[in-house]
Amino acid sequence: MKTRASDAIIDLIDSEHRPEGGGTQGANAYREIRRAILECRLAPGSTIDERSLMAEFGFGRTPIREALLRLSTVRLVHFLSGQAIQVAPVGLQDIRDLYEDRLHSERLAAFLAVRRLTPERMTALQHNFDAVPGLLKAGKIGDAIALDFRFHSVIYQGSYNSILSDHLHNLFAHSYRLWRLTATGEKKE
């Protein structure tokens, strides 16, 4: 189920982690299928096929294949034997690996960002959480979570290391999927 907060988070992830290919059909299919996986509309561990994706998202076979190949490079889908395609499951080892990587990569990004911080990024960081008390009081937890993602994104960008920033935005997307699994009551593997 899409919400304003989930749209804001996915849009932030997409704005900072644009796949190559801009507005091509393959890039658009990538963004749509990726969104469905991150929002758990395509459940972790589920088997998917090209035809159902073509029908659901309205893209032809080639853009769907391009999207699936890209999604496999960021570990969101797996190609299994017999031409089966699986949405990447989420297990305890995956969670551990994700947070170990984030811990060390975010330390490096923060170290670099502090050394390279511009006044504009400092202001963005200082005022990022100003709205949180009002959001929590209004019960808008998802919007508060979006501010947390934005805070991390400012640090990633502030590292001025595009490889590190892209890597962390990808990890950020995986973290969002975990948040969706726990926040929506979806079955966890």
Side-chain angles (χ1 to χ4, degrees):
M1 178 173 117
K2 287 173 102 174
T3 66
R4 193 173 70 89
S6 73
D7 283 345
I9 294 168
I10 296 289
D11 289 345
L12 177 63
I13 291 169
D14 283 346
S15 72
E16 306 306 337
H17 182 73
R18 287 269 181 230
E20 293 178 20
T24 67
Q25 290 234 348
N28 292 335
Y30 172 88
R31 280 191 292 278
E32 289 299 314
I33 298 168
R34 184 172 182 248
R35 179 181 288 260
I37 291 170
L38 295 180
E39 291 178 343
C40 300
R41 289 183 283 126
L42 293 174
S46 65
T47 302
I48 53 178
D49 65 87
E50 291 176 1
R51 286 193 178 134
S52 65
L53 295 175
M54 290 166 58
E56 182 175 348
F57 297 104
F59 294 102
R61 172 170 260 149
T62 299
I64 294 293
R65 284 185 178 172
E66 288 175 16
L68 292 171
L69 286 171
R70 280 181 157 168
L71 290 163
S72 72
T73 66
V74 293
R75 302 175 52 104
L76 288 173
V77 300
H78 300 299
F79 289 91
L80 307 174
S81 61
Q83 297 185 341
I85 304 164
Q86 179 187 46
V87 175
V90 177
L92 292 176
Q93 183 67 42
D94 301 307
I95 295 167
R96 190 184 93 190
D97 292 349
L98 172 65
Y99 284 101
E100 284 178 351
D101 190 348
R102 276 191 66 186
L103 173 70
H104 295 289
S105 297
E106 285 187 349
R107 282 181 182 169
L108 176 58
F111 175 80
L112 294 173
V114 166
R115 292 175 164 259
R116 301 169 179 172
L117 199 59
T118 64
E120 296 80 20
R121 290 202 194 282
M122 175 59 91
T123 299
L125 289 171
Q126 286 175 328
H127 297 289
N128 188 77
F129 294 109
D130 290 351
V132 168
L135 292 171
L136 294 177
K137 189 174 183 177
K140 296 181 177 181
I141 305 300
D143 289 338
I145 298 289
L147 292 176
D148 180 60
F149 279 103
R150 184 170 295 115
F151 178 82
H152 286 273
S153 184
V154 170
I155 293 171
Y156 304 161
Q157 293 168 357
S159 73
Y160 289 95
N161 181 318
S162 62
I163 293 170
L164 180 60
S165 182
D166 284 350
H167 174 65
L168 280 163
H169 278 100
N170 183 49
L171 295 179
F172 182 95
H174 284 272
S175 296
Y176 174 72
R177 186 165 78 130
L178 291 177
W179 178 76
R180 289 290 297 204
L181 281 170
T182 59
T184 61
E186 295 286 339
K187 182 181 176 191
K188 295 172 271 308
E189 297 296 323

